[in-house]
Amino acid sequence: MSTPPRAAADKPGRRGPLDRILPPPGPQRTLAAASFVNAFGSGMFMSSSALYFTRVVHLPMQQVALGLLVGAMVGLVAGIYGGRIADRWGARETQIGVMLAGAASMGCFLLVDAFWSFLLVSTLTGVVFAADKSSKAPLIRGFGGDDPAGFRAYLRAGTNLGISLGALAAGVAIQLDTAPAYLALVAGRALSFAGGALALLRLPRLAPLPAPPLSGRWDALKDRPYLAATLLNCLMSLHFAVPTFLLPLWIVEHTQAPRWMVSGVLVLNTVLVITLQVAVSRNVADTRAAGVRMRWAGLGIAAGLVLMAAAAPIHPTNPTATPTR
């Protein structure tokens, strides 16, 4: 991970190995630590959630997909209001509240035993995930120093590292394939939310921002190329469900690969994102170049899905198999 710019208050002097990697002591380091803890738990849950709901809670895959979809759709709206609340009432307080709500909602997943309770908790969790991202933006803007974009890039790299390490930890539980192991992963996700909230208590409070004038709210709906690009991007974004939902079920239920490959694939995906995102986006200076890259990305996703289908054996395993208790 590249080190973000030194804060103005950071005193020059001798720095140790960790000081060369971590942000300067103060708000930046605190926010980076909270983000890393949260990302570690996210990596554990992303790798195992589909398996937990289908193999421990015993929900059909169609119901799990529907519940997660409803949660994501509600989260789209909640994300907008989460950012507004953070601006008006304080980003630090809002982010801490979101973290605590995330710990509570993840704890509720441990009690889910039917579709309707799963749908309710999934909706609450979707709100938390969306509000987490939107309420963190004012913190990055407020504590980013002279280069908020550089600090955001540092946090993104730290988040990807945390997700990878969390996925590796989840691989042990997935290989064990026992109900207690999956329950421990969900509990770990709840604890990571709580740990993030605890770390954020050390941040100073940011002053609320005044509400901007409401004008031109619906102007974007008049821009047809923008709407077309947005719709296509939404369709492309469906591929995010592949490594976190479809691929774990596919590997465990329909291939002969070892179960730990679920985490291995997610780690590989994260490493590729970290190493290739700069190179792939290089020289994209206009809408035409961006459209060409998006076209190649769509073809790459399609090729990956074809390879997934080719990995299935002739006689798939029983999808109703349950983990050892």
Side-chain angles (χ1 to χ4, degrees):
M1 296 184 293
S2 59
T3 305
R6 293 166 63 93
D10 188 25
K11 297 180 180 180
R14 188 173 181 179
R15 306 184 62 172
L18 286 179
D19 291 326
R20 298 187 182 96
I21 299 174
L22 299 176
Q28 285 193 0
R29 183 174 293 189
T30 298
L31 186 55
S35 298
F36 180 83
V37 171
N38 191 32
F40 183 85
S42 179
M44 291 194 300
F45 187 71
M46 287 169 59
S47 304
S48 59
S49 60
L51 297 173
Y52 169 71
F53 294 129
T54 56
R55 297 169 70 80
V56 177
V57 185
H58 303 300
L59 293 175
M61 183 175 63
Q62 295 84 350
Q63 292 184 359
V64 175
L66 176 60
L68 296 178
L69 176 63
V70 171
M73 293 299 101
V74 175
L76 288 177
V77 180
I80 299 175
Y81 289 99
R84 291 183 180 179
I85 293 173
D87 285 337
R88 305 297 168 265
W89 298 95
R92 171 183 174 271
E93 291 74 13
T94 303
Q95 183 73 0
I96 291 175
V98 168
M99 293 289 103
L100 294 177
S105 62
M106 281 294 156
C108 290
F109 270 141
L110 296 172
L111 306 177
V112 164
D113 59 358
F115 171 69
W116 292 110
S117 59
F118 165 71
L119 181 63
L120 175 60
V121 178
S122 180
T123 302
L124 295 175
T125 305
V127 172
V128 168
F129 286 167
D132 175 28
K133 294 180 180 180
S134 59
S135 63
K136 185 181 294 182
L139 291 176
I140 298 173
R141 183 176 62 242
F143 297 119
D146 297 331
D147 187 9
F151 183 50
R152 184 187 298 273
Y154 178 86
L155 290 180
R156 183 182 296 274
T159 296
N160 286 328
L161 176 62
I163 289 175
S164 297
L165 295 178
L168 289 175
V172 177
I174 294 172
Q175 186 63 32
L176 292 175
D177 197 35
T178 64
Y182 288 118
L183 289 169
L185 292 178
V186 180
R189 182 63 180 111
L191 290 176
S192 71
F193 270 124
L198 185 63
L200 290 172
L201 290 173
R202 300 180 60 187
L203 284 179
R205 189 176 188 274
L206 291 174
L209 298 178
L214 297 178
S215 60
R217 178 181 294 183
W218 306 107
D219 287 349
L221 297 180
K222 302 176 184 178
D223 190 340
R224 292 185 178 180
Y226 170 79
L227 291 178
T230 301
L231 177 60
L232 291 174
N233 186 60
C234 288
L235 295 176
M236 287 274 289
S237 297
L238 292 174
H239 79 277
F240 287 117
V242 174
T244 59
F245 179 72
L246 296 178
L247 202 54
L249 292 173
W250 186 258
I251 290 174
V252 172
E253 308 290 2
H254 297 280
T255 75
Q256 300 298 328
R259 298 188 187 96
W260 58 261
M261 281 297 296
V262 173
S263 296
V265 169
L266 184 58
V267 170
L268 176 62
N269 177 78
T270 306
V271 170
L272 291 176
V273 169
I274 296 173
T275 57
L276 297 180
Q277 60 182 346
V278 175
V280 171
S281 61
R282 186 177 294 124
N283 299 324
V284 178
D286 51 40
T287 55
R288 179 178 178 80
V292 171
R293 299 295 171 88
M294 288 291 288
R295 188 181 303 119
W296 281 107
L299 292 175
I301 292 171
L305 294 176
V306 171
L307 291 176
M308 278 181 57
I314 298 177
H315 301 292
T317 56
N318 181 11
T320 62
T322 57
T324 304
R325 294 185 178 272

